[in-house]
Amino acid sequence: MKRFALLVVALLIAGPLPASATRSYVADAQTKIHVMGEWAHPDDDTSIIGPCGVWHQRYGVKCGVIMVTRGEGGGNAVGTELGPDLGLRRENEDRVAHYRSGTVDIFNLDRIDFFYNQSAPLTQYFWDEEETLRRVTRVIRQTQPEIYIGFTPTLAAGHGNHQQAGRLIWEGVLAAADPTRFPEQLRGPKALSTWQVKKVFSGGSTAGTGGTTSAANCTTGFTPSGLDTVAGVWTGYPSPYTWPAGNLQGQPAGTAKIWQQVADEGRAAYPTQSRVMFKGTSAPACSRFAMTQSFVPFQPNSSPAAGLDEAILFGAMKPDPGGLPLGTLQYLTFSRFYNVAGEPFQATVHLRGKLARGTVELTVPAGWVTDGPKEVRSGSRADVTFTVTPPASATVDQNARIAAHYKTAKASGYTDNVVRIVAAAEGRFQRWGNWQEYDQWLETVAPQANRLGRSQAIQSMGVGQSIDVPVVVHNWSARPQSGAVSLELPSNFTTDATSKPYTLQPGADATVTFRLTNTDTALPVQQNVSIPIRTASGSETLTLSLVPTTAIPQAAVAVDGKAAPGEYPGPTLDVNRIWQGASGCTGPADCGSTAKVSWSDDALYFFIHVNDDYQSYAVTPAECVGHWQADSVEILLDPRGTASQSLMDTANTFKLGVFPFSQSGPFSQTGKPCWSRDADNKQGPAPGVEVASTAQWVGSNETAVPHAYAGGGYDLEVKIPLALLPAAVDPARLGLNITPYDNDDTSAPGTTTLRHIDQSTRLGWSALGSVQSDPYRWGLATLPGYTPPADRPTVPGPPDISSPNLNGALSPQTIAQSARNGVPISGRVPSTDLQIRYAGLRGNAVDIVTVSRGKGTARAFLTTGELGAIPVWTSSCSGDPFTPCAVTDGGIPPWAPDMSGRLVKQSEQQITRGLQLWSIPLTAAQRQKLAQDGRLLISYETAADQVQAFAIKLNARRLSGLQ
């Protein structure tokens, strides 16, 4: 202790922290990323495992992943972790999946993973849109990737988290290159520089013909069916990983696994998400990526060089075969994207870099006209503008490709881009909700993404009801336009007029509105119908969802699991339509459900009968939140019938998941029902709800025990106080759906224990795909005679997500990565306040001396063993946790509470200004573990939310490397 005291004195004499010097930023080898992917959740990103492995091994490419969330809102098929604890486990699964491909940098942004939705605006609300973009921009500027890959930003991505992750690609590329966006990142002691990503692969189409999966350079001969340039990589190359002796697949020991095998093994490495160890043998594949934006010359698919497995790198990481110097920018922009047949527009070729004297000319579709070629002088930049005129016969509602060729005496460069031909007077159904918001994003934020297409025309209406169908007609041309809009009606529909006229000046809009009536009160088998909207030379199709309707009568009800006479005088609702998982329904004895609804005393009452031939896994109290992972019924209520219109989707609704039985219900004794709110305005308990169930648990989750329901199913009776809803019910328009979930035998192959995972058949009153997330597609109900209390709000309050996300400062894997590559935890603002002046083992403790310019929170993690990728499977194969050598392999190693033994101890310390000593006590066993290959990881958060990370290796005597 005396020596330690002398050291502290010496550190005091050492003086203050050194000042940092300002410099121009260039990413070093530890930080630089060549190919960056971005996704919303762990396991969204597995498409790049094989390609990144090939690129890394053959071409020296370093891949990275920006992961917006850690998937804390998902289920857990193999453990009890939920919320932040699940996020820690899922982060490791993602690292395990990618680790062997050389992708060891996964940049988690610490955004919250909330319930399934289909709304990018709702995702923006929960993610804090501007802060998330700030973090994405910092990661791009600091790692300086050349190529960016990920989700489409369009509504076709489905999950709203996926849509927003796709948008962040387009927005991040723009922001990183723009000195006016987040300028604070460009100044100060940790100043970065703006950065131009060279190629973007987000939302393009890889459909086409030709190519191969059986040989290298697998895109040779490939012809895309669309206009996107497609780059491919063959995953049949041998990897550095070999087959272990005794492998179940019967492969010769010591022979190389192909990269597709490595990829498939990695794709399976998410046991919390119900995936099991991959025990097959993979065939080679050709992974293809469609480019949607490029700032550098590239090879079109008509070029032989485009078929090479390195083609994606041309112009970005490797010189383009055309011979232009690496670093040359060449891209094409237009005066407008939407153009009219017969009318000219401008196309500009932008060139940057060491430009030699030469010419630029355009290649346009047959029948189109342009000027040129045009001269380019030597220099560092050139912008060459052409006039392009499509013929009067150009096909409307179709993209057209324009290519630009830059030629010098010794080199050439190619680029292309697309425009769209639209009708001179274009009539589109007036967008609303998420569709309107997406089109506004295209117009104001990322116009280049228009090449992916605008939103679809979507609406819903109750059967037998009438709605307005507004059509906005826009004049895209330079001349006045007049004509008429008409609707093509399917059977059982009428409208107030067959067509309606318009007259428009150039650039003007006019809205014509039709009154549409459905004349059949019976819900059709196919709830979606198509209604073409036509103008003089253009058309689009409105997809109209017909939803069921009902009137809910007033009646006194006793919640006893029985529908006594007079309690439910209203109609019987058919909740037996399948909207997902039809293959799991074996017939009427398995899927046959009905419901009745009444209201009384400011509450709704439901009596639901479910036919089911197999009793599923019985949930624990902690699992009572994931209703889709066992037999259950969800009741969905949109109090105003406007949640989708408000862009909040189910965050403005009430959703109650009810399990007919449980292992030990939180509200009653063993085997009785349990329930919870989920994916709505206030997730969690639902005080005041009453449930009665006739289901009796069979008492075991083992399949050896008979799992038949007594009586062939169960009845649920549920009371929901309307005061629980986020707003007062509109008695003329209550959004309502009832969706049974039928899970059967969910035991893993070769096992006999049921699991809490989603293998369900999903049924409903209104049964449309993803209806659980789309209130506009729920049924509609009226409550005759009901008046809500006068003091009840008509506007839902802010939604509450009960489960927080993991803070990256609490993840040892994230801290270790940040300490290694210098990118701050979560992409947050870096701090230079803290220094670790000493850290050492002293008998039964680790002593740490810090000096700081300010106050904050330090968290220390003492770890041992390999932390970058902690195995997720057990295997009897020597040294290979991805391969089975016995049929029983593929078990799950224990994870909590110590990250499979890697986490020895953790501690938290409040840091004060100046010099400070703190100690972490150790047991003898803990000290022994750390003496072998221990490491000290420290995260530091300032009061201003700035972060630092430190990683110091231990040995038996002390921690080496003072900082």
Side-chain angles (χ1 to χ4, degrees), residues 223-246:
T223 302
S225 57
L227 301 181
D228 300 322
T229 296
V230 176
V233 56
W234 191 54
T235 56
Y237 289 108
S239 77
Y241 305 99
T242 58
W243 288 98

Side-chain angles (χ1 to χ4, degrees), residues 111 114 117 119-130 132 160-161 163-164 167 171 437 441 647:
R111 302 291 85 185
F114 60 100
N117 66 93
S119 171
L122 181 62
T123 301
Q124 295 161 15
Y125 175 89
F126 283 121
W127 281 3
D128 185 347
E129 178 184 14
E130 188 74 356
T132 304
N161 290 184
Q163 295 175 34
Q164 186 60 21
R167 291 194 193 188
E171 294 177 18
E437 190 274 343
W441 178 80
L647 297 178

Side-chain angles (χ1 to χ4, degrees), residues 510-523:
T511 301
V512 297
T513 302
F514 297 86
R515 187 65 177 171
L516 182 70
T517 300
N518 175 235
T519 58
D520 188 355
T521 58
L523 187 66

Side-chain angles (χ1 to χ4, degrees), residues 113-425:
D113 177 35
F114 60 100
F115 51 79
Y116 180 80
N117 66 93
Q118 295 202 80
S119 171
L122 181 62
T123 301
Q124 295 161 15
Y125 175 89
F126 283 121
W127 281 3
D128 185 347
E129 178 184 14
E130 188 74 356
E131 175 59 23
T132 304
L133 179 57
R134 185 189 309 275
R135 297 183 183 193
V136 167
T137 303
R138 177 176 291 280
V139 175
I140 293 174
R141 285 173 171 170
Q142 191 152 357
T143 62
Q144 299 183 331
E146 313 293 344
I147 297 167
Y148 215 144
I149 295 173
F151 279 133
T152 178
T154 69
L155 279 73
H159 197 319
N161 290 184
H162 296 175
Q163 295 175 34
Q164 186 60 21
R167 291 194 193 188
L168 286 168
I169 293 173
W170 294 80
E171 294 177 18
V173 168
L174 291 169
D178 184 351
T180 69
R181 293 295 276 145
F182 312 116
E184 74 281 359
Q185 297 177 359
L186 307 176
R187 54 180 182 257
K190 293 282 188 178
L192 303 173
S193 303
T194 57
W195 181 254
Q196 180 63 69
V197 173
K198 309 307 187 299
K199 292 182 175 182
V200 179
F201 296 79
S202 165
S205 171
T206 59
T209 58
T212 183
T213 60
S214 59
N217 303 319
C218 61
T219 308
T220 300
F222 177 78
T223 302
S225 57
L227 301 181
D228 300 322
T229 296
V230 176
V233 56
W234 191 54
T235 56
Y237 289 108
S239 77
Y241 305 99
T242 58
W243 288 98
N247 64 84
L248 282 186
Q249 291 93 330
Q251 300 298 303
T255 59
K257 294 181 178 180
I258 63 170
W259 274 112
Q260 188 60 47
Q261 181 74 31
V262 175
D264 290 338
E265 291 171 354
R267 190 175 293 111
Y270 300 88
T272 65
Q273 303 308 292
S274 308
R275 303 192 188 183
V276 297
M277 176 187 255
F278 182 69
K279 298 182 179 182
T281 304
S282 302
C286 186
S287 298
R288 294 195 172 102
F289 304 89
M291 188 167 65
T292 46
Q293 190 167 26
S294 178
F295 296 92
V296 294
F298 58 87
Q299 296 295 305
N301 285 111
S302 57
S303 163
L308 301 178
D309 291 324
E310 59 192 305
I312 196 171
L313 310 176
F314 291 154
M317 186 183 166
K318 301 187 70 172
D320 183 74
L324 294 177
L326 185 63
T328 303
L329 302 186
Q330 178 182 349
Y331 57 99
L332 185 62
T333 62
F334 304 109
S335 57
R336 64 182 190 179
F337 177 77
Y338 295 103
N339 292 283
V340 175
E343 295 192 0
F345 62 92
Q346 279 68 52
T348 301
V349 182
H350 306 271
L351 297 166
R352 303 288 185 270
K354 296 180 180 179
L355 306 179
R357 183 176 180 179
T359 60
V360 174
E361 61 181 333
L362 299 185
T363 299
V364 296
W368 293 43
V369 177
T370 188
D371 50 344
K374 298 190 176 184
E375 182 180 355
V376 175
R377 296 180 179 179
S378 60
S380 61
R381 62 180 295 153
D383 298 290
V384 186
T385 299
F386 299 81
T387 298
V388 179
T389 306
S393 59
T395 305
V396 300
D397 298 329
Q398 184 171 294
N399 287 1
R401 177 165 51 206
I402 296 173
H405 305 260
Y406 167 45
K407 298 178 181 179
T408 72
K410 296 182 178 180
S412 65
Y414 171 93
T415 191
D416 63 39
N417 204 346
V418 301
V419 295
R420 188 168 184 84
I421 301 299
V422 293

Side-chain angles (χ1 to χ4, degrees), residues 433-638:
N434 293 326
W435 300 270
Q436 179 186 45
E437 190 274 343
Y438 176 70
D439 284 356
Q440 290 173 344
W441 178 80
L442 286 177
E443 181 179 353
T444 60
V445 178
Q448 171 67 13
N450 271 291
R451 67 179 291 155
L452 305 177
R454 291 172 286 181
S455 68
Q456 293 178 296
I458 302 288
Q459 186 55 285
S460 65
M461 67 181 297
V463 292
Q465 297 185 349
S466 298
I467 60 168
D468 287 337
V469 176
V471 178
V472 179
V473 186
H474 179 76
N475 183 359
W476 290 102
S477 77
R479 298 183 298 275
Q481 298 288 328
S482 61
V485 180
S486 62
L487 304 183
E488 291 186 11
L489 300 180
S491 59
N492 300 322
F493 283 89
T494 62
T495 188
D496 60 335
T498 56
S499 67
K500 296 194 176 184
Y502 62 83
T503 298
L504 291 170
Q505 294 300 310
D509 290 330
T511 301
V512 297
T513 302
F514 297 86
R515 187 65 177 171
L516 182 70
T517 300
N518 175 235
T519 58
D520 188 355
T521 58
L523 187 66
V525 173
Q526 175 52 258
Q527 288 184 240
N528 285 332
V529 297
S530 297
I531 300 179
I533 300 170
R534 302 196 182 279
T535 56
S537 59
S539 67
E540 79 165 355
T541 299
L542 170 65
T543 299
L544 183 67
S545 298
L546 287 168
V547 302
T549 61
T550 192
I552 300 175
Q554 182 178 10
V557 178
V559 182
D560 54 10
K562 302 175 183 177
E567 287 188 326
Y568 296 95
T572 298
L573 308 183
D574 177 7
V575 295
N576 196 46
R577 290 169 172 254
I578 297 174
W579 54 274
Q580 197 171 90
S583 62
C585 180
T586 60
D590 188 29
C591 302
S593 305
T594 59
K596 289 177 171 289
V597 191
S598 294
W599 74 267
S600 178
D601 299 326
D602 201 39
L604 285 175
Y605 295 84
F606 297 82
F607 183 83
I608 303 164
H609 172 74
V610 177
N611 284 350
D612 194 347
D613 65 355
Y614 192 95
Q615 190 178 103
S616 78
Y617 173 89
V619 299
T620 65
E623 295 166 334
C624 198
V625 296
H627 65 270
W628 60 93
Q629 299 188 94
D631 287 351
S632 67
V633 174
E634 186 179 30
I635 299 171
L636 310 91
L637 301 170
D638 178 2

Side-chain angles (χ1 to χ4, degrees), residues 943-958:
D945 201 37
Q946 297 176 342
V947 290
Q948 285 177 267
F950 306 87
I952 309 170
K953 191 174 181 181
L954 277 118
N955 59 36
R957 294 184 178 179
R958 65 182 180 86

